Amino acid sequence: MDTDDGPRGRIVAAALRLLEQDGPDAVSTRAVSAAAGVQAPTIYRLFGDKQGLLDAVAAHGFAAYLANKTAAEPGDDPVQDLRAGWDQHVGLGLAHPALYRLMYARTAPGSPAAAAAVDVLGKHIRRIAEAGRLRVPEERAVGLVRAVGEGTTLTLIATPEDQRDPQLAESAREAVIAAITTDAPALPDPGPVPAAAALRAALPDVDALSPAELGVLREWLDRIVAAADRR
């Protein structure tokens, strides 16, 4: 994962190397300053403390991950795109386990970098809703994909490589997809739930209603989807 050549970039790159070689305990200001060729006060000036440095490393990891995800052109099947995104996510964790743990298990809530990653997932889910294939509210779909995807990846990382279930990630992926999506509608009218989810996803493009009217309509559509999900 490339970083810039300035002092900040060299420090982040050095911290990342130490993290991936020996884990977060190896990322001390003394070790990082020596590896980056800077004085320790430079780290404090740029990052505040060790946690600030680790946050910067996590942000760099998220930025590189998002650059790869957003570089791919959306396909014709949004559910298949979700599968590809899931596999890419698990692949990141297995290729960079220490960085993944930092990004997903040690990042403070509300991190802008983490929020950007959730936003990308939200766009995947919205495309499924717009296609009339989402069976649960968008927020729940995002939460399920995050919870199961991150949990599966952390479980695989914590398991010795020779003891890992090679089908675990695929089985978890398909279970989540079955829980949140429907098959491609075979008829012009796919039914009220996918239709409500699709209309809910399209509301940001509606300009014929006032904000208050949009709020009411959004609530009604959410209730249609949620009521069906409770049956």
Side-chain angles (χ1 to χ4, degrees):
M1 296 183 179
D2 295 334
T3 57
D4 65 71
D5 295 328
R8 183 181 181 88
R10 293 202 310 274
I11 292 169
V12 170
L16 178 58
R17 287 196 301 273
L18 290 169
L19 174 72
E20 297 208 303
Q21 289 169 7
D22 299 307
D25 290 342
V27 187
S28 66
T29 52
R30 177 179 296 181
V32 173
S33 60
V38 300
Q39 298 297 316
T42 304
I43 296 177
Y44 293 115
R45 177 172 57 83
L46 292 173
F47 303 98
D49 55 17
K50 177 180 175 179
Q51 187 57 52
L53 175 56
L54 289 173
D55 289 344
V57 173
H60 172 71
F62 276 117
Y65 173 55
L66 292 176
N68 287 333
K69 286 185 75 74
T70 56
E73 289 292 328
D76 294 333
D77 183 347
V79 176
Q80 189 59 36
D81 286 347
L82 181 61
R83 285 190 174 93
W86 177 288
D87 293 344
Q88 185 180 6
H89 182 96
V90 174
L92 169 70
L94 297 182
H96 303 280
L99 176 60
Y100 186 92
R101 286 194 190 98
L102 178 64
M103 290 167 59
Y104 288 97
R106 300 187 58 168
T107 299
S111 159
V118 175
D119 183 62
V120 170
L121 172 59
K123 290 176 180 176
H124 276 296
I125 297 299
R126 177 150 296 179
R127 288 186 60 230
I128 296 172
E130 290 172 342
R133 297 184 59 187
L134 195 65
R135 69 165 73 243
V136 300
E138 290 178 47
E139 292 80 4
R140 185 178 306 163
V142 170
L144 280 168
V145 173
R146 289 185 63 198
V148 181
E150 293 171 21
T152 297
T153 307
L154 289 168
T155 297
L156 288 170
I157 290 172
T159 305
E161 188 171 355
D162 62 348
Q163 298 177 27
R164 291 173 185 164
D165 178 354
Q167 301 302 315
L168 179 64
E170 181 180 346
S171 296
R173 182 193 70 199
E174 293 308 306
V176 171
I177 287 176
I180 68 173
T181 69
T182 64
D183 292 334
L187 299 173
D189 178 10
V193 175
L199 180 55
R200 170 69 165 76
L203 288 183
D205 298 325
V206 174
D207 56 11
L209 300 175
S210 69
E213 290 168 334
L214 284 171
V216 171
L217 180 56
R218 185 178 296 110
E219 180 182 352
W220 288 347
L221 295 171
D222 284 344
R223 286 167 61 185
I224 292 171
V225 176
D229 188 47
R230 288 194 296 268
R231 291 175 187 169

